[in-house]
Amino acid sequence: MDRLVAAVAALSLLLAACGNDDEAGGKAEPGATTTATSGTTTSASGAALPGERVELYPYAGARLAVVGVAAADKLKVRSGPGVEFGVLFELGPLAVNAIATGHNRSVGAAGFWSEITADGRTGWANTTFLLQPGQVDDITAALFPTSSTRPKAETMSELGQVVARRRASAADPPSNIVVVDGPTVGDLGEITVDVIGLGDDAQEGERLKIFAEPGPPGARFTVRTVEATALCSRGVTNDKLCV
């Protein structure tokens, strides 16, 4: 029971961190280096790390995807767990190459942070924006059983919102819907939307890749297919199911 309470508290901190400026775009701060952090008590500069170590997911070796970061933005990875630490590098909104070291810290109002490595670099990122990618499913038929039930919209951005709201949680707080790629329009319209906060302990979110058929110039877009990638909180099985 104590572990469950700790997990709930940590996740509450994680969600409360949404909206902080620690993952918004911008370049590395002057003086920031690419030296790896040194474990669980000090930063690369030797400064003591704030907060408390938390023995909770993501566990060491977990592959993490950047989630909930807008298409034009990037996730800042810092030399320590907090916005007061310099930016070492950044990860794009579709990055899936981060690996957890197993060092996680709860930093009060600053939320829940994890140490990660990516392409040989190591730093700390706000865990609100990191989840483990799981199974990918075509959910078109589940959402829209017949072609006549497939929604239409004037733009791909509007259509992305329509589909995302079908998958979002109605609980309080509501799901956060973020366009992470696109929209683009060629033979098909395409947009990728993250829905974060599903009210599920195992599956925190979902990444929706939406394809649509455009009509004549100026006409509406109609959903063609929707692919959903599960975004898991605690881990994934060998079959890519959330645990």
Side-chain angles (χ1 to χ4, degrees):
M1 180 63 71
D2 290 342
R3 182 173 176 79
L4 176 60
V5 171
V8 171
L11 286 174
S12 297
L13 287 170
L14 184 154
L15 292 173
C18 286
N20 288 350
D21 65 352
D22 47 34
E23 73 294 325
K27 302 303 179 184
E29 298 168 1
T33 70
T34 56
T35 304
T37 59
S38 59
T40 61
T41 59
T42 59
S43 68
S45 65
L49 296 179
E52 297 180 353
R53 181 167 181 175
V54 179
E55 299 292 344
L56 195 66
Y57 43 84
Y59 301 113
R63 182 171 70 89
L64 303 172
V66 174
V67 303
V69 174
D73 213 339
K74 291 185 178 180
L75 176 68
K76 293 180 179 179
V77 183
R78 297 177 177 272
S79 60
V83 296
E84 67 271 26
F85 291 91
V87 178
L88 299 180
F89 58 97
E90 296 175 326
L91 296 174
L94 298 180
V96 293
N97 61 329
I99 304 297
T101 68
H103 299 154
N104 306 307
R105 297 187 77 82
S106 176
V107 195
F112 189 66
W113 291 69
S114 292
E115 188 183 53
I116 61 173
T117 64
D119 298 328
R121 301 170 295 181
T122 303
W124 291 81
N126 190 313
T127 319
T128 300
F129 305 94
L130 295 168
L131 289 171
Q132 298 183 57
Q135 189 171 17
V136 181
D137 293 305
D138 185 330
I139 61 171
T140 313
L143 283 175
F144 316 114
T146 65
S147 58
S148 63
T149 61
R150 296 181 182 181
K152 302 176 184 290
E154 294 297 332
T155 68
M156 283 302 301
S157 294
E158 292 173 6
L159 193 61
Q161 292 292 319
V162 169
V163 175
R165 285 195 292 269
R166 294 282 190 98
R167 304 295 286 180
S169 170
D172 186 19
S175 300
N176 188 29
I177 297 173
V178 183
V179 176
V180 298
D181 191 42
T184 59
V185 179
D187 293 336
L188 294 174
E190 184 176 339
I191 191 169
T192 304
V193 183
D194 282 357
V195 182
I196 307 298
L198 298 181
D200 187 317
D201 289 342
Q203 184 175 336
E204 177 64 22
E206 201 169 45
R207 174 161 289 171
L208 304 175
K209 195 173 185 67
I210 302 160
F211 298 91
E213 296 177 349
R220 290 184 166 192
F221 292 88
T222 304
V223 166
R224 178 171 179 175
T225 58
V226 182
E227 294 178 354
T229 301
L231 300 173
C232 307
S233 304
R234 298 187 294 237
V236 295
T237 67
N238 291 335
D239 296 327
K240 297 295 184 181
L241 300 177
C242 296
V243 297

